[in-house]
Each structure stands twice: as C-alpha cells, then as structure tokens.
Amino acid sequence: MTQRRFKWRNLYLWLVFIVLYAPIIFLVVYSFSKGDTMTNFHGFTWAHYQDLFADSRLIAIFLDTLLIALLSSLLATTIGTLGALGINNTTRPVTKNTILALNNILMVSPDVIIGASFLIFFTALKIPLGFGSVLLSHIAFSIPIVVLMVLPKIQEMSTSLLDAAADLGANNWQLLSQVIVPYIMPGIFSGFFMALTYSLDDFAVTFFVTGNGFTTLSVEIYSRARQGINLEINALSGLMFLMALVLVIGYYFINQYSSRHRSNVRGRRK
Amino acid sequence: MQRKQRLSRNTAYFVPYTLWILLFVIAPVLLLIYQSFFNIDGQFTLGNYQTYFSSSTYLMMTVNSVWYAFLITLATLLISYPTAYLLNETKHPQLWLLLIIMPTWINLLLKAYAFIGIFSQAGIANQFLSFMGIGPKQLLFTKFSFIFVAAYIQIPFMVLPIYNSISELKPSYINASRDLGATNWQTFSRVIFPLTLPGVKAGIQAVFIPSLSLFMLTRLIGGNKVITLGTAIEEHFLTTMNWGMGSTIGVVLIVAMVIIMWLTGGSGKRHTRKGLTK
C-alpha cells in the first residue's frame, strides 16, 4: 500500500519536472531542425548554429553582454563587500537596520520600477544612455545581493581572530587582505556569482536604460521574438542552456567547496 | 582606543557603498515620486493622480492587474506546495531542488519565446489537442496562456521558500499529532500548514510583486489582452513618453508592493528568487 502511494508521489514530481524542462528541451530540439518553424521536425542540421556563428552582430551583442556582466559583478562585488564590512562595523542597531532596509529596497522592487526610476535618474544627470548607463544599473542592482551573501560570513568570523592579528602588529590593510578577505572568500565568491547571473538574466531594467545604440542579449531576444519564430534564437538558447549548465555546476562546486572548507575548519577546532 | 581607531578607519571603506545607497536607492525613488507630479508638457500638476483615480480605464487596469497577479500566485502556490512537500520526502532533496531551480538560470525571454512555439496555431500543444479529438484552439495571445506561462516562470521561486520552511519542520510535531489521533488531513491543516506559513508568505511575496510587472509576457504571450501595471509603465515611459503618468502608476505599484509586504509580514527577500543562495 505504502509502496503504491510512493509511486503516485513520484509521478507528481516527475510531472512538474517534465513541465519545467519541456519548453527548454523543445527549444534545443528545434535548434537542430531543418525547417523554419517550431511545428514539425524536418531532420537534423547544424545550419542554425552556423548562422548563429556567422551573425557578427549577435556575437558582438553576446560579447557586450558578457563584458557588462563581468565588469558589473566585479565592481558590485567590491563595493558590496566593502559595504558589508561597513555594516558589520556599525555599532548602533538602528543605523544597521536602516542600512539593511535601504539595501533591500532594490531586492524587492519590481524590475519595471527600478528601470523607470533609473531612466529618470540618468536623464536628470544627463548621463547618456548606452553602455555606461547599463553598466551602472547592473552594478546598482547587484550590490544588495553581494551584501546579503557576504554579511553572514563576516558575522560568522570571530573578533578574537582580528584582535590577535592586531596584537601581532597587523595594520588595517594587512588585517583586511590577510585575515578578513581570505576568511570571507566563499561569501565573496557566491556574491560575485549571483551578481553575474543577475546581470546575464536581466531584461526589464536594461530595456529601460539601454537607449538606441546599445543592446544586450535579453533585449535582442525580446525584439526578435516579437517578430516571430526564428530558429537562430533556438540555436542561441541551446548555447545559453549549456552556459547555464556550466554556471550551475560551477556554483554547485563552489558551494561544496565552501561547505567542506567550513567543516574542515570546524573539525580542526575540535 | 586602538579598536575604536580601527573602526573609524574602516568606515573609509564604507564610502562607495554609502554613495551607492544615496545615488541608486534613495535618489531614483525620490525622482520617481517627483516626476509623478509633472504632466507631459513638464508643468507641475496633481493632474496625473486625478486622471488615474477618476479614469475607469486606469482603475479597471489596476483591478485587472491585481486580479491576474492573484491568479498567477494562486496557480503557482497550488502547484508548488505539493512539489515542495514531496521534495522533502525524497532521498536526495538537495539534488532535486537544484533541478527545480535550474530552469531559472535560463534566460526568461528564451522561455517565453519557447511558449510562442508551443502555443502557436500549429504548435505542439494544438497537435496534442487535435490528437485528443478536441481540435486546434487559439492558445497563444489569450489570458489563459499568459497565466500559464507566468505561473510556469514563477514556480521555482515559490517552491524554494516553501521547501525551506518544510525542511525545517521538526518531525516530532507530526509524530505527536499522529500519536494524539489526528487524521492525515488534520495533521496537515492544523500542524504542517500553519508551521510552514512563513515559507508560503515569502513565496507569495516573491511571486505576486513581479507578477504585477511582467510586461514582456503580456506582449509576447498575452498579445496585449492583459495590461498589467508594468505594461502601462513601460508604455508610458518608452512609447508615449508620458513620464509623469508612468511615474504615477509607478507610485501606485510601490504602494501595492508595500501593502503586500505589510500583509505577508516582514521584509521580502528576493534572494529567495535566485534560489541556491540559502
């Protein structure tokens, strides 16, 4: 009896998985189809991938997207980590909570609001829309996630470690670079990673602040998808699926590493 | 003394972060509110709010938008709660959870695009319907497809917080409830569900607010049959260039967001949205 119920349960889970993955698999399968539509599979071909690699405009957009993602997450990680260190140093709980609340505003706001308000902001400051405005926005919405990933690591660190280093004559810079940063590295890594995926995934905010001359992949896919089906997008999604897989596996290993690292530290303490 | 000095020196690191808060958190919101008091000709006016609250179009749109967000959230919740519950019972829940979250790493636009193919006139969904003898139906550009795709996209963001609160549930509570003679349903409705309510609330927060602003889906999948607050804001900012009116709707959206936060308690944590962070 229980055996049978067990199977029903698994069936439900499988169903959810099939629904979750079906559209993605569907896209990838049709990226190999000879036809022009996503209705009938017309036999295997690499043609759409060849088109994709010959499409220099799309490759340029892809590289721009990657550049924005890497630059924005590097800068966001730096600013966010320093911010988390600062938050950790605040002594009054009121100040700390206020800063954390402000930090969370961009986390909970709908993308449309972030996009629209940034557009007003850039226009008010007369910052031209394009690469710069997109980069600035991506840095801005990635910072809070970095703070949220790094802060717990800092709070986990015992103050005696810092006191010991200070007693041994370490100056501020040495404290930061030799003690604090190595200790919170796993948090910094995951912050960087999350910032990277936020940036690669963003559509709505970029759509608002991108202006005419500059595009990222999401915006480009949107404008192409509005024109109808184009199997080059399927090929693109095949590649992006691969990239997502690599990212997830990478993230998984970082997580594994940091949890192993943690248990090692704990083991040594014992 | 030495410690104090260290603290004050460290605050120098804090400068870029503080600048970020001032420039990219506080200033844009203030500017949005400020902008909402200007009409399309740049004159200061309360007219936008007046238009908004006296026009049946805008009010109906708001009601519709909230209604659709509610339907999307409900559909997502109904699918996600059992999923999260069953996930917790499997042998390798972390692995399954990773698989649930994986699709969120695929670009949202690509998933929406996939549904254009699936729901199209001769698409796979219609082939299936014909096969079942129902015959092809108009699927794309309907309200149904909009809700379906939106719920599809939001499922992982609902599963994750619910799963987290279910996995924290102590089995002893369930055992105690069973020992005291509660039926399965009683155990669920009196013990399990109330104890996992925080996760459900976090999930609702993570789904409801973005659902009010999914403007790309209304265009790609909904065929402009559904106009959400997000669509209206995008329209005013990027098409009709009436930033004042767009900002006014933005302010309404912010108010809606605050109400949802207040109803579901506590500060929202969108970092549940990107899974894996826990």
Side-chain angles (χ1 to χ4, degrees):
Chain A
M1 185 64 203
T2 50
Q3 190 68 33
R4 190 158 164 189
R5 219 175 73 202
F6 191 62
K7 272 187 187 159
W8 275 110
R9 296 174 150 205
N10 272 353
L11 187 73
Y12 183 83
L13 273 187
W14 277 112
L15 217 69
V16 172
F17 274 97
I18 291 168
V19 170
L20 279 181
Y21 281 89
I24 298 162
I25 293 166
F26 181 80
L27 278 184
V28 177
V29 167
Y30 275 98
S31 70
F32 296 110
S33 166
K34 270 189 187 140
D36 294 321
T37 58
M38 283 198 273
T39 45
N40 282 306
F41 196 82
H42 292 285
F44 182 86
T45 174
W46 286 104
H48 304 299
Y49 286 88
Q50 279 162 359
D51 287 351
L52 185 67
F53 286 115
D55 190 339
S56 56
R57 181 183 137 80
L58 203 62
I59 288 174
I61 291 172
F62 177 76
L63 291 177
D64 279 343
T65 310
L66 221 55
L67 184 68
I68 289 269
L70 284 171
L71 273 180
S72 70
S73 23
L74 267 176
L75 285 163
T77 311
T78 315
I79 300 173
T81 306
L82 295 179
L85 285 168
I87 292 175
N88 191 51
N89 276 345
T90 50
T91 35
R92 291 176 55 202
V94 187
T95 325
K96 192 177 201 162
N97 288 336
T98 313
I99 298 174
L100 279 177
L102 287 170
N103 187 67
N104 281 351
I105 287 185
L106 286 188
M107 302 284 299
V108 296
S109 308
D111 292 345
V112 192
I113 297 286
I114 301 178
S117 61
F118 281 6
L119 177 60
I120 302 175
F121 173 74
F122 289 135
T123 316
L125 288 185
K126 302 209 164 53
I127 294 174
L129 299 180
F131 183 85
S133 61
V134 173
L135 181 66
L136 281 174
S137 326
H138 282 221
I139 295 171
F141 68 63
S142 302
I143 287 175
I145 186 72
V146 175
V147 171
L148 288 180
M149 306 290 273
V150 175
L151 197 57
K153 277 274 152 207
I154 299 178
Q155 284 164 345
E156 202 178 85
M157 191 168 60
S158 74
T159 47
S160 52
L161 208 62
L162 295 181
D163 290 338
D167 286 347
L168 292 168
N171 60 29
N172 266 332
W173 171 246
Q174 284 172 324
L175 263 185
L176 186 71
S177 63
Q178 311 271 319
V179 185
I180 302 176
V181 169
Y183 190 91
I184 61 175
M185 211 52 196
I188 296 178
F189 258 129
S190 15
F192 175 77
F193 226 81
M194 292 321 288
L196 201 68
T197 53
Y198 264 43
S199 171
L200 286 176
D201 201 43
D202 179 70
F203 165 70
V205 178
T206 313
F207 192 63
F208 272 89
V209 298
T210 191
N212 285 326
F214 184 77
T215 329
T216 63
L217 265 186
S218 308
V219 177
E220 179 69 13
I221 296 167
Y222 178 70
S223 61
R224 290 196 184 193
R226 286 193 77 176
Q227 285 157 20
I229 288 175
N230 170 354
L231 291 186
E232 209 179 307
I233 304 183
N234 290 58
L236 183 65
S237 57
L239 291 182
M240 288 181 78
F241 182 62
L242 260 178
M243 210 166 84
L245 259 180
V246 172
L247 278 177
V248 168
I249 293 168
Y251 190 84
Y252 184 74
F253 278 108
I254 288 175
N255 251 6
Q256 290 287 84
Y257 170 79
S258 68
S259 64
R260 215 181 309 137
H261 186 74
R262 222 178 297 143
S263 63
N264 271 349
V265 170
R266 238 173 252 147
R268 247 181 276 148
R269 268 194 211 134
K270 271 175 197 162
Chain B
M1 182 59 212
Q2 200 194 358
R3 185 173 167 78
K4 226 181 187 165
Q5 202 177 13
R6 195 171 79 213
L7 283 180
S8 68
R9 281 250 210 110
N10 272 359
T11 44
Y13 302 138
F14 207 34
V15 171
Y17 182 75
T18 319
L19 266 178
W20 166 76
I21 287 192
L22 288 175
L23 286 178
F24 286 96
V25 179
I26 299 175
V29 174
L30 290 182
L31 279 171
L32 188 83
I33 296 170
Y34 177 74
Q35 184 79 48
S36 72
F37 293 109
F38 286 88
N39 66 13
I40 198 160
D41 302 317
Q43 290 152 325
F44 184 87
T45 172
L46 286 171
N48 293 327
Y49 287 94
Q50 205 174 10
T51 315
Y52 185 91
F53 287 106
S54 61
S55 137
S56 59
T57 324
Y58 279 118
L59 292 176
M60 270 314 285
M61 181 198 74
T62 312
V63 171
N64 265 330
S65 184
V66 171
W67 172 241
Y68 280 108
F70 169 77
L71 287 179
I72 293 166
T73 313
L74 188 72
T76 316
L77 180 64
L78 287 177
I79 298 166
S80 303
Y81 198 94
T83 310
Y85 186 81
L86 294 175
L87 266 182
N88 189 46
E89 313 246 304
T90 56
K91 265 190 202 150
H92 304 287
Q94 288 302 328
L95 184 71
W96 286 88
L97 197 64
L98 192 71
L99 286 173
I100 291 258
I101 290 160
M102 253 280 284
T104 66
W105 292 54
I106 310 288
N107 197 300
L108 169 73
L109 273 307
L110 286 180
K111 286 182 282 188
Y113 168 76
F115 279 102
I116 298 178
I118 292 174
F119 282 155
S120 68
Q121 210 45 257
I124 198 163
N126 267 327
Q127 285 172 18
F128 180 74
L129 286 182
S130 310
F131 176 75
M132 297 289 281
I134 304 171
K137 288 234 168 14
Q138 174 67 35
L139 292 174
L140 200 60
F141 306 141
T142 60
K143 291 165 183 170
F144 163 80
S145 59
F146 171 68
I147 293 172
F148 185 95
V149 176
Y152 165 82
I153 282 162
Q154 307 279 23
I155 285 173
F157 306 123
M158 183 70 97
V159 171
L160 193 82
I162 298 179
Y163 170 79
N164 283 336
S165 65
I166 289 181
S167 65
E168 280 162 17
L169 199 68
K170 290 198 180 73
S172 52
Y173 286 126
I174 297 158
N175 292 338
S177 145
R178 295 245 162 84
D179 287 347
L180 292 168
T183 62
N184 274 342
W185 173 246
Q186 283 173 324
T187 307
F188 177 76
S189 61
R190 297 286 182 84
V191 181
I192 299 176
F193 191 73
L195 284 175
T196 53
L197 209 56
V200 174
K201 283 180 172 173
I204 290 175
Q205 273 186 12
V207 171
F208 192 89
I209 295 165
S211 298
L212 287 172
S213 56
L214 285 169
F215 70 88
M216 53 298 211
L217 284 193
T218 61
R219 297 234 193 281
L220 292 176
I221 307 290
N224 288 340
K225 289 233 170 53
V226 185
I227 308 272
T228 63
L229 292 172
T231 323
I233 294 173
E234 188 257 350
E235 184 97 23
H236 279 307
F237 267 92
L238 301 176
T239 313
T240 60
M241 291 296 176
N242 187 351
W243 287 15
M245 197 63 220
S247 303
T248 306
I249 302 169
V251 172
V252 173
L253 187 53
I254 292 176
V255 172
M257 184 180 98
V258 173
I259 293 173
I260 293 295
M261 294 295 197
W262 177 68
L263 283 178
T264 50
S267 71
K269 291 189 170 92
R270 204 179 72 165
H271 63 285
T272 55
R273 282 190 70 85
K274 263 298 168 182
L276 292 173
T277 59
K278 185 127 188 184

